[in-house]
Amino acid sequence: MMKLYVKEVESLLAAHSEANSFIENKAIEDVAHLFIEQDQVQLPKNIGAYEIVRKIGQGGMGVVYLAKRADKEYEKM
């Protein structure tokens, strides 16, 4: 059982040395260009039966948009 732990620790140390400076760099610096490119993407005016009204917000997992039904198939009374 102890040999298994030794191999795992050796594997982690090898991965750390191969990572070079990646671990020391701030992650946001490495992916900042992705956020800049995302803001430059032109959205379609409609997606299916919905019209995009505006961007509500964004976070680490994506962007949220306000949309309204544009095909008159469903209307709340």
Short mmCIF file of all heavy atoms in Angstrom, two decimals, residues 11-62:
data_model
loop_
_atom_site.label_atom_id
_atom_site.label_comp_id
_atom_site.label_asym_id
_atom_site.label_seq_id
_atom_site.Cartn_x
_atom_site.Cartn_y
_atom_site.Cartn_z
N SER A 11 4.53 10.95 -9.05
CA SER A 11 3.79 11.40 -10.22
C SER A 11 3.40 12.87 -10.10
O SER A 11 3.52 13.64 -11.05
CB SER A 11 2.54 10.53 -10.39
OG SER A 11 1.70 11.06 -11.36
N LEU A 12 2.94 13.26 -8.91
CA LEU A 12 2.56 14.66 -8.69
C LEU A 12 3.77 15.58 -8.79
O LEU A 12 3.68 16.68 -9.35
CB LEU A 12 1.87 14.81 -7.34
CG LEU A 12 0.49 14.16 -7.23
CD1 LEU A 12 0.01 14.17 -5.78
CD2 LEU A 12 -0.50 14.86 -8.12
N LEU A 13 4.89 15.17 -8.24
CA LEU A 13 6.11 15.99 -8.32
C LEU A 13 6.58 16.13 -9.77
O LEU A 13 7.00 17.21 -10.18
CB LEU A 13 7.22 15.39 -7.44
CG LEU A 13 6.99 15.50 -5.93
CD1 LEU A 13 8.03 14.69 -5.18
CD2 LEU A 13 7.00 16.95 -5.48
N ALA A 14 6.49 15.07 -10.54
CA ALA A 14 6.88 15.13 -11.95
C ALA A 14 5.95 16.07 -12.72
O ALA A 14 6.41 16.88 -13.53
CB ALA A 14 6.85 13.74 -12.57
N ALA A 15 4.66 16.00 -12.45
CA ALA A 15 3.72 16.88 -13.13
C ALA A 15 3.98 18.34 -12.77
O ALA A 15 3.91 19.22 -13.61
CB ALA A 15 2.29 16.50 -12.75
N HIS A 16 4.34 18.58 -11.52
CA HIS A 16 4.63 19.94 -11.08
C HIS A 16 5.86 20.49 -11.81
O HIS A 16 5.86 21.64 -12.28
CB HIS A 16 4.85 20.00 -9.57
CG HIS A 16 5.27 21.35 -9.08
ND1 HIS A 16 4.40 22.41 -9.03
CD2 HIS A 16 6.46 21.81 -8.64
CE1 HIS A 16 5.03 23.47 -8.57
NE2 HIS A 16 6.29 23.14 -8.32
N SER A 17 6.89 19.69 -11.93
CA SER A 17 8.10 20.17 -12.60
C SER A 17 7.87 20.38 -14.10
O SER A 17 8.48 21.25 -14.71
CB SER A 17 9.28 19.22 -12.35
OG SER A 17 9.03 17.97 -12.97
N GLU A 18 6.97 19.61 -14.70
CA GLU A 18 6.66 19.77 -16.12
C GLU A 18 5.77 20.98 -16.37
O GLU A 18 5.72 21.50 -17.48
CB GLU A 18 5.97 18.51 -16.66
CG GLU A 18 6.88 17.31 -16.74
CD GLU A 18 6.14 16.05 -17.13
OE1 GLU A 18 4.96 16.14 -17.53
OE2 GLU A 18 6.74 14.97 -17.03
N ALA A 19 5.07 21.44 -15.35
CA ALA A 19 4.16 22.56 -15.51
C ALA A 19 4.90 23.88 -15.69
O ALA A 19 4.30 24.87 -16.09
CB ALA A 19 3.21 22.65 -14.31
N ASN A 20 6.18 23.91 -15.40
CA ASN A 20 7.00 25.12 -15.50
C ASN A 20 6.38 26.25 -14.70
O ASN A 20 6.10 26.10 -13.53
CB ASN A 20 7.23 25.53 -16.95
CG ASN A 20 8.00 24.47 -17.71
OD1 ASN A 20 8.87 23.83 -17.15
ND2 ASN A 20 7.68 24.27 -18.96
N SER A 21 6.11 27.37 -15.34
CA SER A 21 5.63 28.53 -14.61
C SER A 21 4.10 28.63 -14.59
O SER A 21 3.57 29.59 -14.05
CB SER A 21 6.21 29.81 -15.23
OG SER A 21 5.72 29.95 -16.56
N PHE A 22 3.42 27.67 -15.15
CA PHE A 22 1.96 27.75 -15.20
C PHE A 22 1.35 27.92 -13.81
O PHE A 22 0.45 28.72 -13.61
CB PHE A 22 1.37 26.50 -15.85
CG PHE A 22 -0.13 26.45 -15.76
CD1 PHE A 22 -0.91 27.22 -16.61
CD2 PHE A 22 -0.76 25.65 -14.83
CE1 PHE A 22 -2.29 27.19 -16.53
CE2 PHE A 22 -2.15 25.62 -14.75
CZ PHE A 22 -2.90 26.40 -15.60
N ILE A 23 1.86 27.21 -12.85
CA ILE A 23 1.30 27.26 -11.50
C ILE A 23 1.58 28.61 -10.85
O ILE A 23 0.78 29.10 -10.07
CB ILE A 23 1.83 26.08 -10.65
CG1 ILE A 23 1.27 24.78 -11.25
CG2 ILE A 23 1.46 26.23 -9.19
CD1 ILE A 23 1.79 23.52 -10.63
N GLU A 24 2.68 29.26 -11.19
CA GLU A 24 3.01 30.56 -10.61
C GLU A 24 2.23 31.71 -11.26
O GLU A 24 2.06 32.75 -10.67
CB GLU A 24 4.51 30.84 -10.72
CG GLU A 24 5.35 30.07 -9.70
CD GLU A 24 5.56 28.61 -10.09
OE1 GLU A 24 5.60 28.31 -11.29
OE2 GLU A 24 5.68 27.77 -9.18
N ASN A 25 1.79 31.54 -12.50
CA ASN A 25 1.05 32.60 -13.19
C ASN A 25 -0.38 32.67 -12.70
O ASN A 25 -0.98 31.66 -12.35
CB ASN A 25 1.03 32.35 -14.70
CG ASN A 25 2.39 32.54 -15.32
OD1 ASN A 25 3.25 33.19 -14.76
ND2 ASN A 25 2.58 31.95 -16.48
N LYS A 26 -0.94 33.86 -12.73
CA LYS A 26 -2.36 34.00 -12.43
C LYS A 26 -3.16 33.42 -13.59
O LYS A 26 -2.88 33.72 -14.75
CB LYS A 26 -2.72 35.46 -12.21
CG LYS A 26 -2.08 36.05 -10.97
CD LYS A 26 -2.48 37.49 -10.82
CE LYS A 26 -1.82 38.08 -9.60
NZ LYS A 26 -2.09 39.50 -9.46
N ALA A 27 -4.16 32.64 -13.27
CA ALA A 27 -4.94 31.98 -14.32
C ALA A 27 -5.63 32.99 -15.23
O ALA A 27 -5.73 32.78 -16.43
CB ALA A 27 -5.97 31.05 -13.69
N ILE A 28 -6.07 34.10 -14.67
CA ILE A 28 -6.80 35.08 -15.48
C ILE A 28 -5.90 35.67 -16.57
O ILE A 28 -6.37 35.99 -17.66
CB ILE A 28 -7.43 36.18 -14.60
CG1 ILE A 28 -8.46 36.99 -15.39
CG2 ILE A 28 -6.37 37.09 -14.02
CD1 ILE A 28 -9.67 36.25 -15.81
N GLU A 29 -4.62 35.79 -16.30
CA GLU A 29 -3.70 36.31 -17.31
C GLU A 29 -3.59 35.34 -18.49
O GLU A 29 -3.45 35.77 -19.63
CB GLU A 29 -2.32 36.54 -16.70
CG GLU A 29 -2.28 37.68 -15.70
CD GLU A 29 -0.96 37.79 -14.97
OE1 GLU A 29 -0.05 36.99 -15.25
OE2 GLU A 29 -0.84 38.67 -14.12
N ASP A 30 -3.70 34.06 -18.19
CA ASP A 30 -3.59 33.05 -19.25
C ASP A 30 -4.83 32.97 -20.13
O ASP A 30 -4.76 32.53 -21.27
CB ASP A 30 -3.31 31.67 -18.64
CG ASP A 30 -1.94 31.60 -17.99
OD1 ASP A 30 -1.06 32.40 -18.38
OD2 ASP A 30 -1.75 30.76 -17.11
N VAL A 31 -5.99 33.37 -19.61
CA VAL A 31 -7.23 33.24 -20.38
C VAL A 31 -7.91 34.58 -20.65
O VAL A 31 -9.03 34.61 -21.14
CB VAL A 31 -8.22 32.29 -19.67
CG1 VAL A 31 -7.67 30.88 -19.59
CG2 VAL A 31 -8.60 32.80 -18.29
N ALA A 32 -7.27 35.67 -20.35
CA ALA A 32 -7.88 36.99 -20.54
C ALA A 32 -8.33 37.21 -21.98
O ALA A 32 -9.38 37.80 -22.22
CB ALA A 32 -6.91 38.09 -20.12
N HIS A 33 -7.54 36.72 -22.94
CA HIS A 33 -7.90 36.91 -24.35
C HIS A 33 -9.23 36.24 -24.68
O HIS A 33 -9.96 36.70 -25.56
CB HIS A 33 -6.80 36.40 -25.26
CG HIS A 33 -6.63 34.92 -25.21
ND1 HIS A 33 -5.94 34.27 -24.21
CD2 HIS A 33 -7.07 33.95 -26.02
CE1 HIS A 33 -5.97 32.97 -24.42
NE2 HIS A 33 -6.65 32.74 -25.50
N LEU A 34 -9.60 35.18 -23.98
CA LEU A 34 -10.88 34.52 -24.24
C LEU A 34 -12.05 35.42 -23.88
O LEU A 34 -13.07 35.44 -24.57
CB LEU A 34 -10.97 33.21 -23.45
CG LEU A 34 -9.93 32.15 -23.80
CD1 LEU A 34 -10.06 30.96 -22.86
CD2 LEU A 34 -10.06 31.71 -25.25
N PHE A 35 -11.92 36.19 -22.79
CA PHE A 35 -13.00 37.09 -22.40
C PHE A 35 -13.13 38.25 -23.37
O PHE A 35 -14.22 38.68 -23.70
CB PHE A 35 -12.76 37.61 -20.98
CG PHE A 35 -12.88 36.54 -19.94
CD1 PHE A 35 -11.76 35.99 -19.36
CD2 PHE A 35 -14.13 36.08 -19.56
CE1 PHE A 35 -11.87 35.00 -18.41
CE2 PHE A 35 -14.25 35.09 -18.60
CZ PHE A 35 -13.11 34.55 -18.03
N ILE A 36 -12.02 38.75 -23.85
CA ILE A 36 -12.04 39.84 -24.82
C ILE A 36 -12.70 39.36 -26.11
O ILE A 36 -13.57 40.03 -26.66
CB ILE A 36 -10.62 40.36 -25.08
CG1 ILE A 36 -10.08 41.03 -23.81
CG2 ILE A 36 -10.60 41.33 -26.26
CD1 ILE A 36 -8.61 41.31 -23.83
N GLU A 37 -12.33 38.17 -26.58
CA GLU A 37 -12.92 37.63 -27.80
C GLU A 37 -14.41 37.38 -27.62
O GLU A 37 -15.20 37.60 -28.53
CB GLU A 37 -12.21 36.34 -28.19
CG GLU A 37 -10.79 36.56 -28.66
CD GLU A 37 -10.03 35.26 -28.82
OE1 GLU A 37 -10.63 34.18 -28.65
OE2 GLU A 37 -8.83 35.32 -29.11
N GLN A 38 -14.84 36.93 -26.43
CA GLN A 38 -16.24 36.64 -26.19
C GLN A 38 -17.09 37.89 -26.32
O GLN A 38 -18.19 37.86 -26.85
CB GLN A 38 -16.42 36.04 -24.80
CG GLN A 38 -17.84 35.65 -24.49
CD GLN A 38 -17.98 35.08 -23.09
OE1 GLN A 38 -17.13 35.27 -22.24
NE2 GLN A 38 -19.06 34.37 -22.86
N ASP A 39 -16.60 39.03 -25.84
CA ASP A 39 -17.36 40.28 -25.94
C ASP A 39 -17.47 40.76 -27.38
O ASP A 39 -18.34 41.57 -27.68
CB ASP A 39 -16.73 41.37 -25.07
CG ASP A 39 -17.03 41.16 -23.59
OD1 ASP A 39 -18.00 40.43 -23.28
OD2 ASP A 39 -16.30 41.72 -22.77
N GLN A 40 -16.61 40.32 -28.26
CA GLN A 40 -16.63 40.76 -29.64
C GLN A 40 -17.51 39.89 -30.53
O GLN A 40 -17.71 40.20 -31.68
CB GLN A 40 -15.20 40.80 -30.19
CG GLN A 40 -14.34 41.82 -29.48
CD GLN A 40 -12.89 41.76 -29.92
OE1 GLN A 40 -12.49 40.89 -30.68
NE2 GLN A 40 -12.10 42.68 -29.42
N VAL A 41 -18.07 38.82 -29.98
CA VAL A 41 -18.92 37.92 -30.75
C VAL A 41 -20.27 38.61 -30.98
O VAL A 41 -20.87 39.14 -30.05
CB VAL A 41 -19.12 36.58 -30.00
CG1 VAL A 41 -20.17 35.73 -30.70
CG2 VAL A 41 -17.82 35.85 -29.89
N GLN A 42 -20.72 38.62 -32.22
CA GLN A 42 -22.01 39.22 -32.56
C GLN A 42 -23.10 38.18 -32.41
O GLN A 42 -23.09 37.15 -33.08
CB GLN A 42 -21.96 39.75 -34.00
CG GLN A 42 -23.14 40.61 -34.36
CD GLN A 42 -23.16 41.93 -33.60
OE1 GLN A 42 -22.15 42.38 -33.09
NE2 GLN A 42 -24.32 42.53 -33.51
N LEU A 43 -24.05 38.42 -31.53
CA LEU A 43 -25.16 37.49 -31.33
C LEU A 43 -26.23 37.69 -32.39
O LEU A 43 -26.43 38.81 -32.87
CB LEU A 43 -25.81 37.73 -29.97
CG LEU A 43 -25.06 37.25 -28.76
CD1 LEU A 43 -25.79 37.66 -27.50
CD2 LEU A 43 -24.90 35.75 -28.79
N PRO A 44 -26.94 36.63 -32.71
CA PRO A 44 -28.08 36.81 -33.62
C PRO A 44 -29.19 37.57 -32.90
O PRO A 44 -29.27 37.55 -31.68
CB PRO A 44 -28.51 35.37 -33.93
CG PRO A 44 -28.01 34.57 -32.79
CD PRO A 44 -26.76 35.25 -32.32
N LYS A 45 -30.03 38.23 -33.63
CA LYS A 45 -31.15 38.97 -33.03
C LYS A 45 -32.18 38.01 -32.43
O LYS A 45 -32.76 38.29 -31.39
CB LYS A 45 -31.80 39.87 -34.07
CG LYS A 45 -32.91 40.74 -33.52
CD LYS A 45 -33.43 41.70 -34.57
CE LYS A 45 -34.69 42.37 -34.08
NZ LYS A 45 -34.51 43.68 -33.56
N ASN A 46 -32.41 36.90 -33.10
CA ASN A 46 -33.36 35.89 -32.62
C ASN A 46 -32.66 34.55 -32.47
O ASN A 46 -31.79 34.20 -33.26
CB ASN A 46 -34.52 35.72 -33.60
CG ASN A 46 -35.41 36.94 -33.65
OD1 ASN A 46 -35.13 37.96 -33.04
ND2 ASN A 46 -36.50 36.82 -34.37
N ILE A 47 -33.12 33.81 -31.47
CA ILE A 47 -32.71 32.42 -31.31
C ILE A 47 -34.00 31.62 -31.18
O ILE A 47 -34.70 31.73 -30.19
CB ILE A 47 -31.80 32.22 -30.08
CG1 ILE A 47 -30.51 33.03 -30.25
CG2 ILE A 47 -31.50 30.74 -29.88
CD1 ILE A 47 -29.57 32.96 -29.08
N GLY A 48 -34.31 30.88 -32.21
CA GLY A 48 -35.58 30.16 -32.22
C GLY A 48 -36.73 31.15 -32.18
O GLY A 48 -36.77 32.10 -32.96
N ALA A 49 -37.65 30.94 -31.25
CA ALA A 49 -38.82 31.80 -31.13
C ALA A 49 -38.57 33.00 -30.22
O ALA A 49 -39.49 33.74 -29.91
CB ALA A 49 -39.99 30.98 -30.58
N TYR A 50 -37.34 33.19 -29.78
CA TYR A 50 -37.03 34.25 -28.82
C TYR A 50 -36.17 35.35 -29.42
O TYR A 50 -35.25 35.10 -30.19
CB TYR A 50 -36.32 33.65 -27.60
CG TYR A 50 -37.21 32.72 -26.84
CD1 TYR A 50 -37.27 31.37 -27.15
CD2 TYR A 50 -38.02 33.20 -25.82
CE1 TYR A 50 -38.11 30.52 -26.45
CE2 TYR A 50 -38.87 32.36 -25.13
CZ TYR A 50 -38.90 31.02 -25.44
OH TYR A 50 -39.73 30.18 -24.76
N GLU A 51 -36.49 36.58 -29.04
CA GLU A 51 -35.71 37.74 -29.45
C GLU A 51 -34.81 38.14 -28.27
O GLU A 51 -35.29 38.31 -27.14
CB GLU A 51 -36.65 38.91 -29.79
CG GLU A 51 -35.93 40.18 -30.16
CD GLU A 51 -36.89 41.34 -30.39
OE1 GLU A 51 -38.09 41.10 -30.59
OE2 GLU A 51 -36.41 42.48 -30.35
N ILE A 52 -33.53 38.28 -28.54
CA ILE A 52 -32.59 38.69 -27.51
C ILE A 52 -32.81 40.17 -27.22
O ILE A 52 -32.74 41.00 -28.12
CB ILE A 52 -31.13 38.45 -27.95
CG1 ILE A 52 -30.91 36.98 -28.34
CG2 ILE A 52 -30.15 38.89 -26.86
CD1 ILE A 52 -31.15 36.01 -27.24
N VAL A 53 -33.07 40.51 -25.95
CA VAL A 53 -33.32 41.89 -25.56
C VAL A 53 -32.02 42.57 -25.13
O VAL A 53 -31.66 43.62 -25.65
CB VAL A 53 -34.37 41.97 -24.43
CG1 VAL A 53 -34.56 43.40 -23.96
CG2 VAL A 53 -35.68 41.34 -24.87
N ARG A 54 -31.32 41.94 -24.16
CA ARG A 54 -30.06 42.52 -23.69
C ARG A 54 -29.32 41.51 -22.83
O ARG A 54 -29.89 40.52 -22.38
CB ARG A 54 -30.32 43.79 -22.88
CG ARG A 54 -31.08 43.57 -21.59
CD ARG A 54 -31.34 44.87 -20.85
NE ARG A 54 -32.27 44.68 -19.76
CZ ARG A 54 -31.92 44.28 -18.53
NH1 ARG A 54 -30.67 44.05 -18.23
NH2 ARG A 54 -32.85 44.14 -17.59
N LYS A 55 -28.06 41.79 -22.58
CA LYS A 55 -27.26 40.96 -21.69
C LYS A 55 -27.58 41.34 -20.25
O LYS A 55 -27.61 42.52 -19.91
CB LYS A 55 -25.77 41.17 -21.98
CG LYS A 55 -24.86 40.30 -21.15
CD LYS A 55 -23.46 40.29 -21.70
CE LYS A 55 -22.56 41.18 -20.90
NZ LYS A 55 -21.16 41.09 -21.31
N ILE A 56 -27.85 40.34 -19.42
CA ILE A 56 -28.14 40.58 -18.01
C ILE A 56 -26.86 40.55 -17.19
O ILE A 56 -26.64 41.37 -16.31
CB ILE A 56 -29.13 39.53 -17.47
CG1 ILE A 56 -30.48 39.67 -18.17
CG2 ILE A 56 -29.30 39.67 -15.97
CD1 ILE A 56 -31.46 38.57 -17.82
N GLY A 57 -26.00 39.58 -17.47
CA GLY A 57 -24.76 39.47 -16.71
C GLY A 57 -23.91 38.34 -17.23
O GLY A 57 -24.28 37.62 -18.16
N GLN A 58 -22.73 38.19 -16.62
CA GLN A 58 -21.85 37.10 -17.01
C GLN A 58 -21.02 36.68 -15.81
O GLN A 58 -20.84 37.44 -14.87
CB GLN A 58 -20.95 37.50 -18.18
CG GLN A 58 -19.88 38.51 -17.85
CD GLN A 58 -19.08 38.88 -19.09
OE1 GLN A 58 -19.66 39.17 -20.14
NE2 GLN A 58 -17.78 38.86 -18.98
N GLY A 59 -20.53 35.46 -15.88
CA GLY A 59 -19.72 34.91 -14.80
C GLY A 59 -18.77 33.88 -15.35
O GLY A 59 -18.55 33.80 -16.56
N GLY A 60 -18.25 33.10 -14.47
CA GLY A 60 -17.25 32.12 -14.86
C GLY A 60 -17.74 31.03 -15.79
O GLY A 60 -16.96 30.43 -16.52
N MET A 61 -19.03 30.77 -15.79
CA MET A 61 -19.56 29.68 -16.60
C MET A 61 -20.30 30.14 -17.84
O MET A 61 -20.74 29.32 -18.64
CB MET A 61 -20.49 28.80 -15.76
CG MET A 61 -19.80 28.14 -14.59
SD MET A 61 -18.53 26.99 -15.09
CE MET A 61 -19.52 25.68 -15.77
N GLY A 62 -20.48 31.44 -18.03
CA GLY A 62 -21.18 31.86 -19.23
C GLY A 62 -21.81 33.23 -19.10
O GLY A 62 -21.53 33.98 -18.18
#
